[in-house]
């Protein structure tokens, strides 16, 4: 993943970049970059599983227009200005296969749970950076839904350094600053799922 993401980054304007060491909005492992070039932004993503590409692109679908396009390979995609996307030099061992969002398959019940847990990790991580001594009003509910995950988020953010995150002036870019905790917390989410799996219903259309 990292090699593909690095090669894709090298083929787009990326002087000001945020490196993402995981996707804090989706269950699968990911490496990527948010590249900023003046008023333009280009987003590079490489996932561990091929199904994750159309599944995550579904969230971007409404943004594709005359000013934003997409190119994708089996397990990667690049979103950005059409001219930049058209000039993309894809890795030889991971060629471009399409210029659309593809057709996503349904998440399994486990993937759906892990995605929701990961999104909670991102939200709680940002909240904890700002208010380390406070508790979310729905903390008890999340503790039941994601056993032991909240404590792990706090420990991971402490290890990463709250001050380090707060030094990023644009809070929209905190997700990248927090991304190093992704692998650790996704493992914790997987452990939590094992504890509550019997109570998790499959999403509509999944096996």
């Amino acid at each position: 993943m990292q090699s593909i993401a690095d090669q894709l980054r090298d083929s787009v304007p990326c002087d000001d970049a945020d490196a993402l060491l995981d996707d804090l909005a989706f269950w699968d492992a990911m490496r990527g970059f948010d590249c900023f070039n003046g008023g333009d932004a280009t987003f590079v993503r490489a996932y561990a599983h091929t199904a994750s590409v159309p599944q995550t692109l579904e969230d971007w679908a409404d943004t594709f227009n005359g000013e934003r396009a997409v190119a994708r390979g089996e397990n990667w995609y690049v979103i950005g200005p059409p001219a930049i996307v058209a000039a993309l030099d894809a890795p030889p061992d991971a060629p471009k296969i399409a210029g659309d969002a593809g057709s996503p398959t349904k998440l399994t019940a486990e993937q759906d749970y892990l995605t929701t847990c990961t999104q909670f990790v991102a939200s709680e991580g940002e909240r904890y950076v700002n208010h380390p001594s406070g508790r979310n009003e729905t903390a008890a509910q999340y503790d039941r839904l994601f056993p032991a995950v909240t404590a792990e988020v706090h420990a991971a953010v402490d290890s990463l350094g709250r001050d380090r995150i707060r030094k990023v002036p644009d809070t929209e870019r905190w997700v990248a600053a927090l991304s190093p905790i992704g692998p650790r917390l996704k493992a914790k989410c997987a452990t939590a799922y094992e504890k509550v799996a019997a109570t998790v219903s499959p999403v509509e259309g999944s096996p």
Side-chain angles (χ1 to χ4, degrees), residues 3 6 13-14 28 32 43 52 92 98 135 138 146 149 186 190-191 197 200:
S3 175
D6 289 341
C14 204
D28 197 13
F43 307 98
S52 298
R135 284 277 285 176
T138 56
F146 309 122
V149 171
K186 286 182 177 180
T191 300
V200 176

Side-chain angles (χ1 to χ4, degrees), residues 176-202:
L178 284 167
S179 67
I181 73 174
R184 171 178 174 177
L185 268 298
K186 286 182 177 180
K188 195 66 174 181
C189 286
T191 300
Y193 178 75
E194 293 175 358
K195 296 179 180 179
V196 302
T199 66
V200 176
S201 300

